[in-house]
Amino acid sequence: MKMPIIVSDHMDPDVDFYVPPGSDATQVLQEALQLALVYGVAHIIIRGRIYVYASSQVPLLLDQSLHYIFEGDGLGEIVYVNPNGVSNVPPLIAISSIATAQMHYITSNNGVVNVQEADYSTWGWIIGFKNLRLVNITSQRWLIITGMPYHMHSIMFYFDTVQFFANIWLNQTATVLLYNCYVNNSELLFDTQSREVMAIGCRFENNASLAISPRGWTVVGCVFVGTNVTYLNPGIDGNNGSVVGCVFDGSTIVTQGADNLKIVASQFQNVTFSGGSVQLNSGINYGIVGCSFYGYNVVISDLYRGHSVFVAFNNFDAGSNLVVLVRDNYTLDSVVILGNIFSSDPTHSSLIFISGSPIPGQTLQLTGVAKMLYIAFNTFINASHTSGPVYGYELANNYRIHGLAYINLGVNVIYAYIAFNYFQENYGLKDNSTGQPLGFFSLQQITINVKPVQNLFFYFNVNENNPMYIPSSQTYTAQFNIGIS
Amino acid sequence: MFVSKENKLLELNRRKFLSLASSTLLISTPIAILINERKEDQEKIDKASSRSSLTTTYPYIAIVEGNPTNGYNVITNSGIIFNGSCNSGSGTCGIYEAIEYLQNNYGEGTVILLGEFYPIKSPITTPLSNIEITGSGIIYINPNSAPMFISLIPSIKNVKIRWYSNIGAINKILSKRLSFSSMPYVLFTNTSYSLLFANGQQALGTPSQFTISAWIFGKPSGYTGYILTYGSLDGGEAWGIRAANNEIIFEGTSGSISAPYPSSIPFHITVTYNNGQASIYINGNQVTSGRVSISYPNVAYLWINNFPIRSQQGGINPGSWYSTIENIQFYNNVLSISQISNLASSIGQDPVTTPVFWGLYRYIMYLGDLITGKGFQRMGALCYSGVV
């Protein structure tokens, strides 16, 4: 007799619980979990495909009496169905955390563990899913929900080689690991007060999304493929996340206020699909380093809490603009654009736009301020060496910042150092709106609120005969340049 | 009985014999046919192989067949060596007699069990070498026969083992896994470990009368020394059994009774409570009683060992490198003196009537309540976690 408890729709001799194909496995799974208490660990092997019928009760309520490992035999499948027409279908799996909730109230007297540690620790509790295909064809949006009772930060999930054809919504988790998972047209949402999510080697496609709000997460070596509704979405409080070595094709990173997001060494290219983008909103300390953007706009907007945006050592190719927008009436401390290449082609320009975005619910004024602007060691080229149009960027309320130059400012700037850049000859690229030849620098006073840069410096640049578009009131200092007088 | 591997002429009879022997339909009446055939062929079936539908490891077999109504026979090469009830002889329905026969005559052999067996004694409690027990029988063990048959599990194959009384979830569990232990399996290696039993908001209800029974291996603490507690850390304590300052204490929400801590461990404790009147029994003898008031909090769990409300190390002190709290039974009524005495008679004594809760019974290895089948909450700091 082996420890794993085998639940199967096959009549193999080693099967503990046989579930005829298509019939309801609810009771069998509950009995398997009850039986697992002889070991203290529920290692449930799912062989074949089993169905769980929705009822008024959550079929599988996982409490803190067991460790749980649900594992497919090779690949097992759990399909959540509603053949009885239950009106309010509950999730298939919910989690309760009685022990951890109690640990919140332990005394600190004669302590063997810090109370906060007891409160937030998994203390080794594991809920694992392996080699499984999870399918939800009920009306319930979420296959798995961890509720939000008081003090629940104790859950350690791992999903190893799980295929999600079902949404999951986990709240107040501790460590969650997604490893070698596949997500199709489904949402994985790690929400309120969660902690420490890691997605490694996973594939998201066909309207799939990874939405994460925990503080402290990482997505490594993952693939996001599909139309622009396949996305990675660090939520409002999805702070301190890292995206490393990922591949995006037609998909999107969109944030809603996550701080300290780092996007590193990732590939963004519309190879098979189109419409991909990077949209970082409302957070601070964004860092984009060592990435490749090919036909991908990078838009960092609604910056209103100071701090910095750091974009370095990337390539922006074939229609990949870098857009940085400061919220009206707010100040961004610095923008650092360092060591990138911006490679344009006719109709597929890759330019820098630094401008503004409105206060939510109001119209755009362009009263924001980017205090310190460093643009250095970048290369700006027309890769095709052929003439053609370049495009601007449409701001809110139909305002538009034109593609007049490789670097376009449309917001208030106090200090700007533009140094050590190479502005290649534009080879006939022209702003599509005004018809003017592409310059190396423009300041566009889109509204009367945009003032001249207070301190504008050009040092050590090389500019191959590209014009500069600045208002007559703009003064600047240019030294040690070639092609800038 | 010898069965010849070489004698193919007898293969049909041998197969018929073994086929019958392995059939659950064969309880008592077909044995006559079997015996007749065996007698007719007896001289020729020596040393036949056992390659058939019933695979046996050894060439020497003894058949034990019967049921509680008709009694039991042990059939051997020497004839029927036992005929009686489960009370007869060794108190094992003839199973031990069959083992003994094979050991004494051949030094090895296979005991084939057919029927239903209700052994009541444990003449041996150590594993057997060179003896195999197989067949289609079912052995229903009780606290007295559990030691023998748990020790024989390495020698048992195919034979089902169940609890003699189908109480709670026990036989449902045993039908899937032979989850037995002859030793306590939850060892508290320090004073901070805890198990919680939760079953709804108030795991044991809010009874005005109850009895709680348990076996304790541990030493009193200098401070709290909780053994069993009903309550929650946020809601407070309804009642608790503690071992502190060389006393055994039963306390309610207000009021407590206490007695000197027993001089030897393990010991049995019973606490009865009847509408404010509480009594402590040690090893079946009442040692103290008095008024104790209990008010149930809205959320109440049964805590086993540590109840970390005043000290994170609030459990009982280890008796050696561990402590145990075993065979915990909770009844929603006040048990009689004789029932309490019965519970105190053996550490393996099972419930005297159907309890509300029964856990950490050493013979049935199960990390939860044997009545409801619900598990202990245990995944958190200060909780007893991991594999059982």
Side-chain angles (χ1 to χ4, degrees):
Chain A
M1 189 64 73
K2 295 177 181 176
M3 177 179 176
I5 297 166
I6 301 176
V7 177
S8 178
D9 63 350
H10 291 62
M11 301 177 81
D12 302 326
D14 62 338
V15 167
D16 290 287
F17 294 96
Y18 169 65
V19 188
S23 61
D24 185 9
T26 302
Q27 186 178 348
V28 153
L29 289 171
Q30 289 172 346
E31 289 185 6
L33 292 178
Q34 190 180 78
L35 175 62
L37 288 164
V38 305
Y39 305 114
V41 176
H43 188 180
I44 309 292
I45 301 284
I46 307 293
R47 183 179 298 161
R49 176 183 293 128
I50 64 169
Y51 295 86
V52 178
Y53 290 11
S55 68
S56 59
Q57 303 294 319
V58 174
L60 300 176
L61 180 63
L62 309 185
D63 65 19
Q64 293 189 280
S65 62
L66 284 166
H67 299 280
Y68 300 89
I69 299 173
F70 296 95
E71 181 174 2
D73 199 350
L75 180 69
E77 187 165 346
I78 300 174
V79 185
Y80 192 35
V81 296
N82 186 17
N84 299 321
V86 174
S87 55
N88 292 311
V89 176
L92 171 69
I93 294 173
I95 316 293
S96 89
S97 59
I98 293 169
T100 306
Q102 283 292 292
M103 288 303 107
H104 175 71
Y105 299 102
I106 60 173
T107 176
S108 60
N109 192 30
N110 293 329
V112 294
V113 60
N114 177 281
V115 174
Q116 189 176 34
E117 188 75 38
D119 196 4
Y120 279 80
S121 172
T122 69
W123 224 257
W125 188 25
I126 289 177
I127 301 175
F129 296 82
K130 299 175 70 175
N131 299 358
L132 279 174
R133 175 181 283 224
L134 302 176
V135 182
N136 178 17
I137 54 176
T138 72
S139 58
Q140 167 58 246
R141 180 177 174 183
W142 306 104
L143 189 78
I144 304 175
I145 291 181
T146 63
M148 289 168 279
Y150 198 39
H151 298 292
M152 195 180 175
H153 301 91
S154 60
I155 302 166
M156 188 161 74
F157 278 94
Y158 69 85
F159 298 92
D160 177 356
T161 318
V162 174
Q163 299 186 353
F164 290 93
F165 290 81
N167 304 324
I168 65 170
W169 182 22
L170 307 186
N171 294 284
Q172 297 196 352
T173 64
T175 303
V176 173
L177 172 63
L178 298 157
Y179 174 74
N180 189 32
C181 291
Y182 171 79
V183 186
N184 187 309
N185 193 25
S186 297
E187 180 178 7
L188 308 188
L189 171 57
F190 302 96
D191 210 344
T192 306
Q193 294 193 32
S194 285
R195 302 281 189 274
E196 298 113 26
V197 168
M198 282 164 284
I200 300 174
C202 300
R203 179 178 178 88
F204 298 79
E205 66 176 25
N206 186 29
N207 299 1
S209 72
L210 173 59
I212 35 187
S213 289
R215 293 156 176 84
W217 52 270
T218 185
V219 177
V220 179
C222 291
V223 176
F224 296 81
V225 178
T227 64
N228 62 5
V229 288
T230 293
Y231 60 87
L232 169 61
N233 179 3
I236 293 170
D237 49 0
N239 297 334
N240 307 332
S242 299
V243 180
V244 182
C246 294
V247 177
F248 292 76
D249 180 355
S251 51
T252 296
I253 293 184
V254 55
T255 77
Q256 302 158 9
D259 291 345
N260 308 324
L261 174 65
K262 308 302 175 191
I263 302 172
V264 180
S266 292
Q267 299 289 327
F268 297 80
Q269 184 169 4
N270 294 306
V271 179
T272 306
F273 299 95
S274 60
S277 64
V278 176
Q279 302 165 29
L280 311 182
N281 302 306
S282 311
I284 61 171
N285 295 339
Y286 291 114
I288 301 174
V289 179
C291 293
S292 173
F293 299 96
Y294 194 97
Y296 257 77
N297 280 331
V298 178
V299 179
I300 307 171
S301 69
D302 194 37
L303 299 166
Y304 69 100
R305 291 187 289 138
H307 295 78
S308 180
V309 169
F310 186 85
V311 180
F313 317 132
N314 308 285
N315 62 278
F316 292 82
D317 286 353
S320 302
N321 293 308
L322 172 60
V323 181
V324 179
L325 306 176
V326 184
R327 184 191 283 187
D328 283 346
N329 290 350
Y330 286 85
T331 297
L332 175 65
D333 291 316
S334 74
V335 178
V336 181
I337 301 172
L338 178 69
N340 305 282
I341 179 169
F342 292 85
S343 174
S344 296
D345 297 303
T347 73
H348 291 83
S349 47
S350 302
L351 310 176
I352 295 174
F353 298 96
I354 299 174
S355 188
S357 53
I359 294 170
Q362 299 183 23
T363 56
L364 180 64
Q365 303 296 322
L366 292 175
T367 53
V369 176
K371 286 180 68 177
M372 181 74 232
L373 177 62
Y374 299 97
I375 301 177
F377 295 104
N378 299 289
T379 300
F380 299 86
I381 64 171
N382 175 352
S384 70
H385 291 197
T386 58
S387 62
V390 299
Y391 303 115
Y393 183 81
E394 184 169 340
L395 305 170
N397 308 116
N398 297 320
Y399 285 108
R400 189 169 188 83
I401 180 167
H402 298 302
L404 287 172
Y406 288 123
I407 300 170
N408 302 283
L409 302 189
V411 75
N412 296 296
V413 174
I414 310 294
Y415 314 101
Y417 277 94
I418 297 170
F420 290 108
N421 298 290
Y422 170 48
F423 301 100
Q424 190 187 66
E425 178 186 352
N426 64 35
Y427 290 105
L429 292 177
K430 289 181 167 46
D431 173 45
N432 186 57
S433 177
T434 64
Q436 294 179 280
L438 185 70
F440 74 93
F441 179 84
S442 78
L443 173 64
Q444 301 174 39
Q445 293 179 304
I446 302 164
T447 71
I448 60 170
N449 296 318
V450 180
K451 310 298 184 192
V453 178
Q454 292 183 31
N455 302 278
L456 176 59
F457 298 94
F458 294 95
Y459 291 124
F460 303 106
N461 298 288
V462 173
N463 176 37
E464 294 178 340
N465 301 315
N466 304 301
M468 178 163 63
Y469 301 99
I470 54 175
S472 58
S473 57
Q474 176 69 62
T475 60
Y476 64 90
T477 300
Q479 291 182 325
F480 311 113
N481 300 288
I482 296 172
I484 302 175
S485 59
Chain B
M1 181 183 303
F2 286 78
V3 186
S4 170
K5 189 182 293 183
E6 294 77 17
N7 196 333
K8 294 180 180 176
L9 291 174
L10 296 173
E11 202 162 273
L12 180 63
N13 283 336
R14 177 176 58 81
R15 281 182 178 168
K16 186 186 294 182
F17 172 84
L18 291 170
S19 176
L20 285 166
S22 63
S23 165
T24 54
L25 296 174
L26 179 71
I27 300 298
S28 60
T29 49
I31 201 69
I33 302 168
L34 185 153
I35 292 167
N36 287 337
E37 289 190 357
R38 188 194 58 78
K39 284 180 177 174
E40 289 169 11
D41 300 325
Q42 186 174 341
E43 293 177 1
K44 299 178 182 178
I45 61 174
D46 291 354
K47 296 185 178 178
S49 79
S50 58
R51 193 178 303 165
S52 74
S53 60
L54 181 66
T55 303
T56 58
T57 304
Y58 302 104
Y60 313 105
I61 62 175
I63 300 171
V64 189
E65 65 81 25
N67 60 36
T69 306
N70 297 322
Y72 298 86
N73 294 305
V74 178
I75 305 156
T76 71
N77 195 39
S78 307
I80 296 175
I81 63 161
F82 175 89
N83 175 255
S85 70
C86 286
N87 292 316
S88 309
S90 66
T92 62
C93 320
I95 297 172
Y96 178 66
E97 281 78 4
I99 293 168
E100 210 172 25
Y101 170 82
L102 292 171
Q103 282 183 320
N104 292 342
N105 288 279
Y106 309 110
E108 62 180 19
T110 297
V111 176
I112 298 173
L113 301 184
L114 309 172
E116 297 178 342
F117 302 86
Y118 288 81
I120 57 168
K121 291 182 181 174
S122 291
I124 51 171
T125 56
T126 53
L128 295 173
S129 57
N130 302 327
I131 291 291
E132 172 190 58
I133 300 172
T134 186
S136 60
I138 307 175
I139 305 172
Y140 293 91
I141 62 174
N142 73 5
N144 296 320
S145 56
M148 170 174 168
F149 287 92
I150 291 171
S151 71
L152 290 183
I153 282 176
S155 304
I156 294 175
K157 65 179 188 182
N158 299 325
V159 174
K160 299 179 178 66
I161 303 179
R162 302 283 188 271
W163 197 248
Y164 74 106
S165 166
N166 190 18
I167 186 170
I170 287 185
N171 281 336
K172 192 172 164 186
I173 297 160
L174 296 181
S175 69
K176 294 292 183 182
R177 292 290 190 279
L178 292 180
S179 188
F180 294 108
S181 171
S182 57
M183 301 287 287
Y185 47 88
V186 169
L187 308 179
F188 296 108
T189 53
N190 59 51
T191 54
S192 58
Y193 278 158
S194 197
L195 289 171
L196 289 74
F197 175 65
N199 184 8
Q201 291 290 90
Q202 290 160 318
L204 302 177
T206 57
S208 57
Q209 296 182 324
F210 63 82
T211 302
I212 187 155
S213 163
W215 284 82
I216 314 301
F217 178 75
K219 298 173 182 172
S221 157
Y223 190 26
T224 52
Y226 282 101
I227 299 172
L228 293 165
T229 313
Y230 189 44
S232 57
L233 295 176
D234 44 337
E237 176 182 342
W239 55 257
I241 298 173
R242 297 196 290 116
N245 301 318
N246 290 318
E247 288 190 322
I248 187 82
I249 303 159
F250 176 71
E251 64 190 8
T253 315
S254 64
S256 65
I257 55 175
S258 62
Y261 197 79
S263 55
S264 65
I265 54 173
F267 65 93
H268 179 255
I269 182 169
T270 302
V271 171
T272 62
Y273 182 80
N274 188 353
N275 291 295
Q277 185 65 31
S279 298
I280 298 176
Y281 297 77
I282 299 295
N283 297 326
N285 302 311
Q286 184 174 327
V287 292
T288 185
S289 66
R291 299 294 298 177
V292 171
S293 176
I294 291 174
S295 174
Y296 292 104
N298 291 331
V299 176
Y301 310 122
L302 177 64
W303 295 70
I304 303 168
N305 202 40
N306 190 16
F307 182 58
I309 198 166
R310 285 190 280 157
S311 165
Q312 283 193 15
Q313 303 176 60
I316 192 172
N317 274 352
S320 59
W321 58 273
Y322 62 86
S323 56
T324 60
I325 300 168
E326 272 194 80
N327 198 357
I328 305 161
Q329 301 175 20
F330 185 86
Y331 300 85
N332 263 355
N333 61 312
V334 177
L335 296 184
S336 67
I337 298 294
S338 64
Q339 286 175 313
I340 292 168
S341 177
N342 197 4
L343 290 173
S345 65
S346 163
I347 206 163
Q349 178 62 49
D350 63 344
V352 292
T353 179
T354 302
V356 173
F357 172 90
W358 181 24
L360 300 186
Y361 183 59
R362 66 166 60 182
Y363 294 144
I364 313 292
M365 197 166 177
Y366 190 73
L367 212 58
D369 174 23
L370 290 166
I371 302 301
T372 61
K374 289 183 177 294
F376 295 130
Q377 304 296 311
R378 61 199 184 91
M379 304 297 175
L382 306 184
C383 287
Y384 188 97
S385 180
V387 180
V388 170

